[in-house]
Amino acid sequence: MTAVGPDTRPHADLDPHGTLPARRRAPLGRLLRSELRWIFRRPRTLVVLALLAALPVITGIAVDLTFDGAAAPAPTGGPGPGGSGPGEGPPIFVTMASSAFVLPLGSLMTLLILLLPLTVAMASGDALAGEQSTGALRGWLLAPVARGRLLLVKAVGVLVVALAAATLVATSGLVTGLVLSGTDGLVSMSGTRLSVADVLLRLAIAVAWATVYLMAVGAVALAISASTEHPMLVVVSVLGGLIVSGVLLQISALDWLHPYLLPTSLTSLADLIRDPLALDGLAEGAFRSLCYLVIGMSLAYARLTTRDG
Amino acid sequence: MRPRTKALVAAGSGIAAGLAGLALTTLPAGADDDPVLPAIEPEALVASALAAEPQAFSGQAEVSNELGLPALPGVDALDFESARVFHDGQESARVQLEKPTSEVTFVKNPDEAWAYDSQERAARHVTWDDADAAAAREHAEAQLADPAQAAAQLIEQLRPTSEIVVDGTASVAGRAAYELVLTPKPSEKTLLREVTVAIDEQTRMPLAFDVYANGRTDPVLSLGFTELDLGAQDPTLFDFTPPQGTKVETTDASDAAGHGAGKDSAGKDKAAERMAEHSTTMVGDGWDAVVIADLPSDLPADLPADMPAGMPEGAFGGGQDLAGTLAQIGQPVSGAFGSGTHVGIAVGGAIVTDDGRVAAGAVPQQVLVDALDQQ
């Protein structure tokens, strides 16, 4: 890939009088457009997004084949200690088959554990560390673009990836569910039937919430990305952070620590399958994500302002 | 130098703001200072609590349970994180026990009661004729998750044998409440140390309820509202239609009373009581009462395997061999009455004798043995 940074040279459009061009700011819209073009031109972005879109389809078909399309209950282990241990039932989309409501939500919940954050980490790693390693970031740092705007452009790029990934998962799950079981099984965990509009609203909330969560991961990843030249390191750090958080969440003696861990919020997504809708848990999760976002972005900004070519 | 200062300020303030925000989420809701309320006599408080008009409300209740219940199918009924309670102020209530990936919903209205388990996709439907309505009212195990009901019943039972004091005030679910403390009189041979009920100053509705056992500082059972909104509820909440593909098991209340698990805080004595309506005797009264009953001869040898986990069942069930199960979870005891198996939990226990009787209460093993000997 040739390292052609966005075309932001101030003399790109000389005024006809031939006077020295005043130092001008590159229009933000153009910067964003070029950034997004770069992101979606990368084959790896497209491959990962395609994979994310395929997973709900695979899940839905697998569940459908397992239960032969019938809304069968999860098989219990015959007599003996009734089926599953306390508090660890089978995943939601196993117990509620392949409905057009549970499949997208369940896929989103599952993928949010690891794959979606890694996608965002990859985008963040490419945004700063990757461009640094190919030399493309030099153009940015030398161009008349304030460091804050540079970070803003990069963050918007990551945000678009997060939104695209979450939307793709939910949409492909919804479409798969509709193909497999039509509008049957639009049922909440509380046993009430939901209208299609209601389901779409809940999925929209889920996608919005997932985007905020992923953006929090992305902000932390951008902070790492700003301080290294190796995009791989960003992905590995995020992976490590998620795994360590996951382990800490399993240790009940560390209760006091759990509110500080980002993945704590993930369980609240299941609240969207309850009826009537209670948004307290999701609001708290979104707030936690915003805190991480502030921390990540301020660190990334601090690192970028002190960076020279 | 300037960019460096800027960077330090940005990083410092950003991290500080973020951490402060995260710390905010750790604060428990409603952890305000204890409110100042006019003093009240305990008797007056209990009376007003019992006489209080039932309120229409919606709320969120949380349960923590250190009872040490044996791992039996059917006794995981208390295994949920939180419950949402809706009440219309009269006959109808809806309680949703929230588990991480499933939910058990109880809906009760004047005509019928439903219990729906989303994990098993099964529902139990209880109907009754008016004559049986009283029995069915007992049936809803959901009442246990409804602190208001549970506490009111308990106060009524415990008044004769307890010291009752008002021990200050508390803020529960953001509402000002009196702390009513019930302690067993010294003559009571019970495992329970004290029971605390928080009673809302304005509505006189019990808001929280903690049971303490001897030798433990933390409550063995703690249930209470974390949120409460008074006001009329949407009537559609109290109707239930099972979703398509649900296995529905309909019973009449008179049968359901046989399996209705009404495990109250004193262990399984209610269940035992129900299992043997025909021959129940009480030995002692108050905190150390022991219920002795015959095991019903028609105890189903094999409950349907589709009995949803977490659904109310009898104290024993799940299609298991009763004797085998007991041997797993209890210790053999013997006395003048013969021999049997003792199953203990933090707040009490039960002895199942080899000749088919059950004795249960919130008491140590020896008291159960004595009660059986007396019988």
Side-chain angles (χ1 to χ4, degrees), chain A residues 40-159:
Chain A
F40 286 99
R41 259 190 210 166
R42 291 187 195 118
R44 54 180 171 273
T45 310
L46 299 175
V47 168
V48 168
L49 288 179
L51 178 70
L52 285 172
L55 281 167
V57 180
I58 297 168
T59 310
I61 291 173
V63 170
D64 201 51
L65 291 177
T66 312
F67 293 138
D68 203 12
T76 47
S84 52
E88 42 174 333
I92 299 173
F93 46 72
V94 174
T95 55
M96 294 186 71
S98 52
S99 86
F101 173 40
V102 176
L103 182 60
L105 262 181
S107 309
L108 203 54
M109 286 170 73
T110 318
L111 295 175
L112 271 175
I113 295 170
L114 211 58
L115 268 181
L116 284 167
L118 286 187
T119 308
V120 171
M122 188 186 81
S124 305
D126 283 334
L128 292 172
E131 297 212 339
Q132 170 81 355
S133 63
T134 57
L137 198 65
R138 286 187 77 92
W140 273 105
L141 296 178
L142 296 172
V145 178
R147 296 294 160 88
R149 297 175 87 213
L150 161 61
L151 181 63
L152 178 70
V153 169
K154 295 297 181 185
V156 170
V158 174
L159 177 67

Side-chain angles (χ1 to χ4, degrees), chain A residues 10-21 24:
Chain A
H11 50 271
D13 42 357
L14 270 178
D15 51 356
H17 305 297
T19 50
L20 267 182
R24 250 181 296 147

Side-chain angles (χ1 to χ4, degrees), chain B residues 68 70 323-335 337 339-345 348-354 364-365 368-369:
Chain B
T325 309
L326 279 174
Q328 275 176 14
I329 58 170
Q331 294 85 33
V333 289
S334 57
F337 66 90
S339 60
T341 313
H342 175 259
V343 179
I345 60 170
I351 291 182
V352 181
T353 66
D354 296 347
Q365 179 180 321
L368 290 173
V369 173

